[in-house]
Amino acid sequence: MLAQIAIGTVLLIVNITFAAMAAMVLEVIFQKAHPWLMREPHRPKLVLLVAGVSLWLLGVITLGVWIWAAAYLWLGAFATPEEAVYFSIVAYTTLGLGDVVLPREWRILAGMEAANGFINFGLLCALFIEALRQIRLNQFERRRRGGD
């Protein structure tokens, strides 16, 4: 049990650190794009922003799933990459179908991966919404002031 918790903790730290770094990179991109985002027209840029950030977040989540799947393969919990990735997707998204399960000696990792997915989805969605809110507030303020 302690080995599972130790391995799961390392995987959680790696995934959360990666998500935090991806959020930081996204913030830098937003800062660099800020002057462009403030110029009219706003709506087409918002569509591009939402689509781009959604793909960015999907990439972060996909990498998180693959990190867990690689760990399952390394541990010998699954025989094939497809099985490891499938289980990882089901666990990370907290879907938990139960048609593919971890061997008894690794089953605590399933709950830890679900917690990881829950944390990352919440964190990344909150950051995304806050970034959009800040951009929209700045756009409205600029429009109210006459576009300075």
Side-chain angles (χ1 to χ4, degrees):
M1 179 175 86
L2 291 177
Q4 291 181 72
I5 293 170
I7 291 167
T9 299
V10 169
L11 290 167
L12 280 162
I13 290 168
V14 166
N15 265 286
I16 292 169
T17 301
F18 176 74
M21 289 173 23
M24 182 184 65
V25 169
L26 200 55
E27 182 181 0
V28 169
I29 291 169
F30 281 154
Q31 286 175 343
K32 290 190 183 297
H34 189 267
W36 176 75
L37 289 167
M38 292 305 107
R39 291 192 301 270
E40 293 281 354
H42 293 147
R43 288 197 175 114
K45 292 174 186 173
L46 288 174
V47 169
L48 286 172
L49 186 67
V50 169
V53 172
S54 296
L55 290 172
W56 180 273
L57 297 178
L58 184 59
V60 172
I61 289 164
T62 299
L63 185 59
V65 165
W66 276 93
I67 289 169
W68 281 91
Y72 295 139
L73 286 171
W74 179 73
L75 293 169
F78 294 111
T80 66
E82 187 274 336
E83 197 175 29
V85 170
Y86 173 77
F87 176 82
S88 187
I89 290 169
V90 170
Y92 199 90
T93 60
T94 68
L95 183 59
L97 291 176
D99 56 336
V100 175
V101 295
L102 282 169
R104 183 174 181 81
E105 65 269 18
W106 298 115
R107 67 183 178 181
I108 289 175
L109 292 177
M112 294 182 85
E113 183 176 4
N116 188 177
F118 191 72
I119 289 166
N120 277 2
F121 277 111
L123 171 71
L124 294 171
C125 286
L127 292 171
F128 179 43
I129 296 301
E130 179 59 18
L132 283 176
R133 188 180 80 81
Q134 289 297 323
I135 289 166
R136 289 304 284 160
L137 287 173
N138 287 332
Q139 287 174 341
F140 291 141
E141 179 61 25
R142 185 176 172 103
R143 184 180 297 150
R144 188 185 65 75
R145 287 191 323 231
D148 305 352

